[in-house]
Amino acid sequence: MKHLKPYYKIDEWNIIEEGFSEAEHEKSESIFSIGNGRFGQRANFEEKYSGKSLQGNYVAGIYYPDKTRVGWWKNGYPEYFAKVLNAPNWIGINILIEGTEFDLATCNISHFRRTLNMKEGYLERVFTAELKNGLRLRVLAKRFISMANPELAAIKYSVTPLNFEGNIGFTPYIDADVKNEDSNYNEKFWIEVERKSMNREAYIVAETKKTGFQVCTAMKFNITQDHVSLDFKTNPVEKDLYVANHITVFCKKDQETVIYKYISCLSSENHPKKELASHSQILVNQASVSGFEILLNDHIKVWAAKWKESDIIIEGDLIAQQGIRFNIFHLNQTYTGDDERLNIGPKGFTGEKYGGSTYWDTEAYCVPFFLSTAPGNVAKNLLIYRHKHLQKAIENAQKLGFKNHAALYPMVTMNGEECHNEWEITFEEIHRNGAIAYAIMNYVNYTGDKSHLSEYGLEVLMGISRFWAQRVNYSNEKKQYVMLGVTGPNEYENNVNNNWYTNYIAKWTLGYTIEVLDYVKKNNPDRYNEIIKKWEFNFSDETHQWNEIINKIYLPKDDKLGVFMQQDGYMDKEHILVKDLDQSHRPLNQKWSWDRILRSIYIKQADVLQGIFFFESDFDNETIARNFDFYEARTVHESSLSPCVHSIIASKIGRFEKAYEMYLRTARLDLDDYNHEADEGLHITSMAGTWMSVVYGFGGMRIKDGILHFKPYLPEGWKSFSFKIEYRNTILNIKITHKATEISVSADKPVEVNLSGLKHILEPNKILSVAN
């Protein structure tokens, strides 16, 4: 596959758009989004823009249970689809030029340049606009959402008349009369609680319907001309769900007038409702005193620390370098890990699609990234999030007829309750349970924190294993246990029997749960007895049944081809490979009927290969290679979660050209809009897979028996690449060049590693260099 021609300029630290394109605008609104883990904002314009735009400001944890809309209701359907709401718009600054409304959609725009500075975490835009009456002005807009104070944001917006002097009116505002484009019934979700507009400042408290979450958005602003602060009074404006201030300033030709708008965004998730308004006002007043540059510098310092932990440096390939930093940037600004109530939505703070809710993507893709690039509590909080939802998972299973505290974690959730409303996903894509179990093992294996098993992990594993034990049934014909009516990771197949990946991960979960039961019983008997009693667990009977399933579960395989079968009947399909498919039909999900997709062999994302990636130590290289070659030829990669898995496996089996091709696809999936959907928001959770493609793929990193293993290679055209990982309270620096692999460790004692099959002891403050 040829690499797509980039729309944005190639730069190692910046995403740059030169020239304004209305056709690309909504995509750019996604690409240039900023956030801080607490709230986030699409790259909508501050000034009025009447053209097509997806407005979006999102506050973490704030959602609405939008009533499910389906044509045929089925028992067990969730009553609602949870949606992260488009929250009050805080960026707005309306402008009047000599009495004429400044609407960018009606202007002639030149010298347009939009920049996302990923190193320092801010969005900047500069352009020249000519109004219909011939007046021309230059605008420079710069904004950030503070990583240093997660409830603050700031905007610097400057206007310079180029061919006139006259009055310019500024109206900074907060608008809570907003909507979600994906509202099922075109309903607006906010009601006003309180509002107030005063000289230079204003605030509004809005509440979500049904859920009763409250968000207070407050603003304060200052104006300078020629770097001198103006003394002025404003005309406060108030109306339903809207507050603003208006000020008119006389501006000379070539004189820069700057408005500094400071914003606080507080939610009732973190403050008592009765204190939201007062706290918000205090924050914006403190921000105004500190000033834009001091706030920005504090923000930049936090980003410097983030990059020190998680940066990957690639020499010799700017396209690859820009791609990986874009992915790491969005991961770090979406989730900071300081609140175990929060998780990572597939679109993060960049769009409405998928409701901003939690999927299995977190456990399969994001946990490995945060394990290696952040303090240990960050990944752990993602696991605790699921433990907090265990009772809800049990209730989800009960709705489908399961008993005995069996737990089915939701495909989509905000609060632990299933809220996805497509039957083939809600009822059938149950492999998500396995990913949650796998993440527990992955966390313990990586951190060595076995206390997590008795404190949290075992209870979750027991609930999931009880579900698997009830979900299978014994086939008298096959003399084996089978699992019927499922959807695997490949969502281009629905209601299939014996999806290999789902059966395999169910088998593994049962075995791992038995291991953990034995471990906790031996090492923490009091806690073990507490858990057994709480969940009414009959060790002898239940583990006997589990072992029966482990030993007799059916795993479809084609012995002639030597590959695992994705599901029963897969070989009955017409096998036209992807390379022979008319490319004008791509992407299939936008060109083909769903019926045609379901009858085809084409695979949306790694399915069998997802299982091989998770459990690669169970298979020899020849088996892995046969399955990779078979399924890669049939995979269209129309899920963002697919290319990274293929890249990692390709690296392992020596398909280096394919590994790099798939790396570029995952790294630049949104930047180059491979699937023609970046306008809806970015693919945040799959971005962690990009990181894995480098570290697990090109770096060959694995953990075996508590020892870090590396088997690196250098992709063609690269001069070097380097990364850091945090592993059990030590920081390792790894650099791969053509000549050697260099590893150093920040620790006060030696650390053992395995490099390309050989054991090495890393001494503190020394560099181990091994020739490649």
Side-chain angles (χ1 to χ4, degrees), residues 187 277 313 322 333 368 486 540 733:
E187 183 182 6
I313 300 171
Q322 183 185 47
Q333 71 170 1
V486 303
S540 176
N733 299 272

Side-chain angles (χ1 to χ4, degrees), residues 474-526:
Y474 188 75
S475 166
N476 288 319
E477 180 179 334
K478 287 184 168 61
K479 306 301 181 186
Q480 289 179 288
Y481 286 93
V482 296
M483 201 177 312
L484 310 178
V486 303
T487 297
N490 170 27
E491 293 172 341
Y492 285 177
E493 299 272 9
N494 300 151
N495 200 38
V496 302
N497 294 335
N498 296 306
N499 172 258
W500 181 88
Y501 169 72
T502 305
N503 286 16
Y504 199 92
I505 204 166
K507 171 185 175 180
W508 171 85
T509 303
L510 292 168
Y512 182 61
T513 305
I514 293 171
E515 288 180 27
V516 174
L517 280 162
D518 290 339
Y519 174 83
V520 175
K521 182 178 182 179
K522 179 180 179 181
N523 292 277
N524 195 340
D526 290 342

Side-chain angles (χ1 to χ4, degrees), residues 212-441:
F213 296 115
Q214 289 188 5
V215 170
C216 182
T217 311
M219 70 172 184
K220 184 161 186 175
F221 69 98
N222 302 316
I223 296 177
T224 67
Q225 281 189 327
D226 297 329
H227 308 291
V228 177
S229 294
L230 300 185
D231 185 16
F232 62 91
K233 287 189 176 182
T234 62
N235 295 321
V237 179
E238 291 186 25
K239 57 183 180 180
D240 289 347
L241 293 164
Y242 180 91
V243 290
N245 276 262
H246 179 74
I247 176 71
T248 299
V249 180
F250 183 80
C251 302
K252 299 177 183 177
K253 180 176 175 293
D254 296 327
Q255 181 182 47
E256 183 182 42
T257 301
V258 182
I259 179 169
Y260 295 94
K261 184 178 181 182
Y262 303 99
I263 293 294
S264 63
C265 181
L266 278 63
S267 86
S268 56
E269 287 289 270
N270 303 301
H271 298 272
K273 291 181 179 179
K274 64 181 180 180
E275 298 176 7
L276 283 172
S278 59
H279 283 335
S280 293
Q281 289 176 274
I282 290 170
L283 273 178
V284 289
N285 278 281
Q286 289 174 343
S288 177
V289 171
S290 296
F292 186 90
E293 296 303 330
I294 288 176
L295 294 174
L296 178 59
N297 284 335
D298 291 342
H299 170 74
I300 290 171
K301 288 176 184 176
V302 176
W303 268 113
K306 290 282 185 186
W307 285 116
K308 187 176 181 181
E309 291 174 337
S310 58
D311 192 20
I312 290 178
I313 300 171
I314 298 170
E315 293 184 298
D317 190 341
L318 274 179
I319 287 178
Q321 177 68 88
Q322 183 185 47
I324 188 63
R325 282 186 172 144
F326 178 74
N327 285 254
I328 293 170
F329 172 79
H330 276 287
L331 284 164
N332 280 329
Q333 71 170 1
T334 300
Y335 182 75
T336 58
D338 57 358
D339 189 339
E340 63 195 32
R341 298 171 300 172
L342 301 178
N343 209 285
I344 307 160
K347 295 295 183 186
F349 297 121
T350 70
E352 299 175 6
K353 193 174 181 182
Y354 304 124
S357 306
T358 303
Y359 285 63
W360 67 282
D361 310 17
T362 292
E363 284 75 21
Y365 297 87
C366 297
V367 165
F369 171 79
F370 288 109
L371 277 173
S372 292
T373 65
N377 68 297
V378 174
K380 185 169 186 172
N381 277 344
L382 291 171
L383 273 63
I384 293 173
Y385 175 91
R386 293 295 193 178
H387 182 266
K388 283 178 172 290
H389 291 172
L390 176 57
Q391 186 56 46
K392 287 286 188 181
I394 292 170
E395 293 170 12
N396 291 333
Q398 288 172 344
K399 292 175 183 177
L400 303 185
F402 293 86
K403 302 175 181 178
N404 195 28
H405 306 297
L408 174 59
Y409 277 90
M411 185 67 182
V412 180
T413 193
M414 279 292 185
N415 61 0
E417 187 175 21
E418 178 64 76
C419 62
H420 197 285
N421 55 19
E422 295 174 311
W423 65 268
E424 67 273 17
I425 306 300
T426 306
F427 303 152
E428 296 194 339
E429 198 164 342
I430 52 178
H431 67 83
R432 66 217 191 218
N433 252 10
I436 292 165
Y438 183 86
I440 294 170
M441 180 279 295

Side-chain angles (χ1 to χ4, degrees), residues 312 314 317 319-325 327 643-644 646-648 657-669 689-694 698 715 718:
I312 290 178
I314 298 170
D317 190 341
I319 287 178
Q321 177 68 88
Q322 183 185 47
I324 188 63
R325 282 186 172 144
N327 285 254
C644 62
H646 284 242
S647 179
I648 295 165
E657 185 176 346
K658 175 60 69 172
Y660 179 75
E661 175 195 329
M662 290 291 101
Y663 163 76
L664 270 193
R665 180 164 184 143
T666 184
R668 302 191 63 87
L669 181 78
T690 304
W691 178 90
M692 289 195 293
S693 297
V694 176
F698 306 149
W718 290 15

Side-chain angles (χ1 to χ4, degrees), residues 663-690:
Y663 163 76
L664 270 193
R665 180 164 184 143
T666 184
R668 302 191 63 87
L669 181 78
D670 292 313
L671 279 175
D672 297 336
D673 203 8
Y674 274 89
N675 291 340
H676 309 294
E677 57 187 11
D679 58 308
E680 299 174 336
L682 307 181
H683 297 84
I684 300 299
T685 45
S686 72
M687 291 178 173
T690 304

Side-chain angles (χ1 to χ4, degrees), residues 45-61:
F45 295 154
E46 289 86 358
E47 67 280 343
K48 181 177 180 179
Y49 178 72
S50 60
K52 196 174 180 183
S53 171
L54 175 60
Q55 296 293 308
N57 168 44
Y58 310 103
V59 180

Side-chain angles (χ1 to χ4, degrees), residues 476-637:
N476 288 319
E477 180 179 334
K478 287 184 168 61
K479 306 301 181 186
Q480 289 179 288
Y481 286 93
V482 296
M483 201 177 312
L484 310 178
V486 303
T487 297
N490 170 27
E491 293 172 341
Y492 285 177
E493 299 272 9
N494 300 151
N495 200 38
V496 302
N497 294 335
N498 296 306
N499 172 258
W500 181 88
Y501 169 72
T502 305
N503 286 16
Y504 199 92
I505 204 166
K507 171 185 175 180
W508 171 85
T509 303
L510 292 168
Y512 182 61
T513 305
I514 293 171
E515 288 180 27
V516 174
L517 280 162
D518 290 339
Y519 174 83
V520 175
K521 182 178 182 179
K522 179 180 179 181
N523 292 277
N524 195 340
D526 290 342
R527 175 61 174 155
Y528 173 83
N529 289 326
E530 178 188 346
I531 292 171
I532 296 302
K533 182 179 180 180
K534 176 181 178 182
W535 298 108
E536 303 173 300
F537 186 75
N538 186 316
F539 180 88
S540 176
D541 289 351
E542 294 196 53
T543 57
H544 175 76
Q545 181 198 19
W546 295 357
N547 277 312
E548 276 282 304
I549 296 168
I550 290 168
N551 293 327
K552 295 182 180 180
I553 196 164
Y554 172 60
L555 297 168
K557 182 180 180 181
D558 188 303
D559 291 323
K560 184 178 179 180
L561 294 172
V563 298
F564 307 123
M565 277 294 97
Q566 183 174 266
Q567 76 267 345
D568 289 351
Y570 184 73
M571 292 306 295
D572 292 335
K573 295 170 178 279
E574 183 181 22
H575 282 254
I576 300 173
L577 302 184
V578 173
K579 68 180 178 63
D580 299 320
L581 183 64
D582 185 341
Q583 291 303 299
S584 68
H585 291 198
R586 303 286 303 277
L588 300 183
N589 58 19
Q590 297 175 26
K591 302 293 182 66
W592 281 15
S593 70
W594 196 244
D595 169 75
R596 188 177 183 185
I597 288 174
L598 291 176
R599 290 186 286 106
S600 77
I601 63 165
Y602 301 118
I603 299 169
K604 179 184 178 186
Q605 69 188 76
D607 195 306
V608 168
L609 296 184
Q610 182 75 45
I612 287 176
F613 165 61
F614 273 173
F615 305 110
E616 67 173 30
S617 61
D618 293 354
F619 314 106
D620 58 41
N621 265 21
E622 290 75 18
T623 299
I624 295 173
R626 282 196 304 272
N627 279 275
F628 178 84
D629 291 340
F630 182 82
Y631 285 109
E632 163 59 24
R634 292 158 173 81
T635 302
V636 290
H637 298 292

